[in-house]
Amino acid sequence: MRVGFLIQHINGLGGTERTACAVMNGLVEHASVSLIELWSQGPAAYGLDPRVQTVSLFARHVPMLSHWGRLVWQCYRQIRALGLDVLVVVESTHALYGVAACRLAGIRCVVWEHFNCNVDMGKRKRRLGRWMAARWADDIVTLTSRDISLWRNKLAPKARLVCIPNMVPPLPPVQYDPDARHVVAIGRLTHQKGFDRLLAVWEKILQDRRATGWVLQIVGSGPDLESLQRRAASLAHVHFLPAQTDVSAIYARTGILVSTSRYEGLPMVMLEAAAAGIPIVAFDCETGPAEIIVSGQTGFLVTQDDTTDFARAVLELMGDRSMRVRFSGAAKARAGLFSSCQIIEKWRHLLRV
């Protein structure tokens, strides 16, 4: 079986690139795996097995809508050259041309959604890609069961819908320290991740004596860095660190992980934190956190936009060491549902390899 994966480029530091590498690295033990990049920006930041053959459609960025025919043709040519039996389109935007190339080549097409069907970030090409996937792909893989319902209600797809969560990526062993005094948030510094809301939460937290000795650490890079730093200048104990590929040292110093995202698919950071036994407080955005967190057992889910309740949940964990220890053990057990062996087995069943 020859399986191909189509992605914009594999060099990014996002969860999409990370989980794509993890799945390809897992499948290469069972099938011939190739990676097709729209254009290359360098090697995979998270590491790709050398047995995965990598090719590029173009040497530089090519606009999808105005060059649709060229994209379909080049993708078709690579499918034929690689002798693929199935193509997994990583991220529904690329279904815009990937699905058509598969139909032209007469092979099976699987579209892998990495957000949720209600999130298009204002991009027409993502809406069109999902429309193509719904009507012409063979399978659509969602990250959550909730997103299957969203796809059915919004697009009534002819394609088969299958839920395969992200897996916990491999990390060096991390021992949770219940005496750690870092509240940590990790992610790209964009509107999606809601770090502006996190700073509003932190302002409330600082007013409570239970916050004494705790610091907020925001780990990530992105376009909102300067505005967030200006906002944080008036707040005590806020530190910014750049994005990094190995966050195990950060997790080892983390007492509580927080997520204030406005929307998610299935966040890799939360899966990592749960596997490391870190209690999590997160806004209950439409898909993602509720699949990972059991509120009141492994962390707390907070109603979207309720910064007061978010601060209360963080302070409750800050003030109760025994609760942090209890939540830590439960989080590790919960993370077992997302182990690499279980998730790769789901992909093998889907792809029949």
Side-chain angles (χ1 to χ4, degrees):
M1 171 71 76
R2 295 183 177 273
V3 181
F5 285 76
L6 173 65
I7 196 170
Q8 180 163 295
H9 58 78
I10 201 64
N11 181 248
L13 288 172
T16 298
E17 294 83 7
R18 188 169 204 177
T19 195
C21 285
V23 170
M24 286 187 281
N25 289 342
L27 288 175
V28 79
E29 300 293 338
H30 310 282
S32 171
V33 179
S34 300
L35 173 66
I36 302 173
E37 296 181 280
L38 181 54
W39 81 94
S40 177
Q41 291 193 352
Y46 293 107
L48 197 57
D49 191 294
R51 290 172 289 180
V52 177
Q53 181 181 357
T54 302
V55 298
S56 300
L57 299 184
F58 299 96
R60 63 183 64 86
H61 171 67
V62 175
M64 287 189 199
L65 295 177
S66 58
H67 291 73
W68 181 81
R70 287 182 65 201
L71 267 68
V72 172
W73 179 247
Q74 285 298 106
C75 189
Y76 162 77
R77 289 183 61 190
Q78 285 295 350
I79 288 170
R80 295 299 302 269
L82 293 167
L84 299 182
D85 300 299
V86 57
L87 182 68
V88 179
V89 178
V90 183
E91 211 281 288
S92 53
T93 298
H94 298 275
L96 184 64
Y97 61 95
V99 171
C102 287
R103 298 285 290 191
L104 190 62
I107 69 165
R108 184 178 171 202
C109 182
V110 177
V111 175
W112 189 4
E113 174 65 81
H114 277 266
F115 291 98
N116 69 63
C117 197
N118 279 347
V119 173
D120 61 30
M121 290 178 282
K123 294 185 178 180
R124 179 171 172 243
K125 60 187 178 182
R126 181 168 281 113
R127 294 192 294 272
L128 290 172
R130 286 179 177 143
W131 184 87
M132 290 281 288
R135 278 147 188 80
W136 300 107
D138 295 283
D139 308 272
I140 296 168
V141 174
T142 68
L143 300 180
T144 65
S145 298
R146 166 66 178 154
D147 198 28
I148 286 181
S149 299
L150 297 180
W151 273 84
R152 282 178 177 153
N153 293 337
K154 196 165 188 175
L155 292 169
K158 297 178 182 178
R160 183 171 65 129
L161 290 161
V162 180
C163 173
I164 304 181
N166 287 335
M167 72 177 76
V168 176
L171 279 175
V174 175
Q175 181 64 42
Y176 176 66
D177 180 4
D179 296 313
R181 290 294 185 270
H182 283 75
V183 175
V184 173
I186 302 174
R188 185 160 166 76
L189 305 183
T190 61
H191 178 75
Q192 175 199 347
K193 298 298 184 180
F195 290 113
D196 54 322
R197 301 195 295 180
L198 175 57
L199 292 176
V201 167
W202 189 248
E203 186 173 12
K204 296 176 189 294
I205 287 172
L206 289 175
Q207 298 170 21
D208 194 291
R209 61 179 179 79
R210 287 172 290 180
T212 302
W214 288 80
V215 300
L216 173 62
Q217 194 168 70
I218 297 174
V219 183
S221 305
D224 291 355
L225 175 60
E226 290 186 6
S227 62
L228 291 169
Q229 286 176 326
R230 286 195 299 270
R231 172 71 179 83
S234 62
L235 301 175
H237 312 304
V238 180
H239 304 151
F240 288 86
L241 290 178
Q244 40 207 283
T245 55
D246 183 5
V247 292
S248 55
I250 290 171
Y251 287 139
R253 302 190 301 270
T254 301
I256 303 167
L257 186 99
V258 291
S259 172
T260 48
S261 293
R262 291 180 166 89
Y263 58 87
E264 286 286 356
L266 187 69
M268 298 290 286
V269 168
M270 287 192 200
L271 290 175
E272 287 178 331
I278 300 170
I280 305 170
V281 180
F283 278 131
D284 189 13
C285 53
E286 189 163 42
T287 62
E291 308 271 337
I292 301 168
I293 300 168
V294 180
S295 197
Q297 296 181 30
T298 69
F300 290 111
L301 288 170
V302 180
T303 302
Q304 274 282 45
D305 298 317
D306 191 340
T307 56
T308 298
D309 197 44
F310 200 106
R312 179 206 57 76
V314 174
L315 285 165
E316 188 171 348
L317 277 167
M318 283 178 167
D320 193 334
R321 184 184 188 278
S322 64
M323 177 184 286
R324 297 197 299 274
V325 171
R326 203 164 59 247
F327 281 17
S328 175
K332 279 188 175 182
R334 178 74 176 170
L337 297 175
F338 306 93
S339 67
S340 59
C341 60
Q342 291 204 40
I343 302 307
I344 290 300
E345 192 56 37
K346 290 178 184 292
W347 275 103
R348 289 187 64 195
H349 179 74
L350 172 69
L351 298 174
R352 306 179 196 123
V353 300

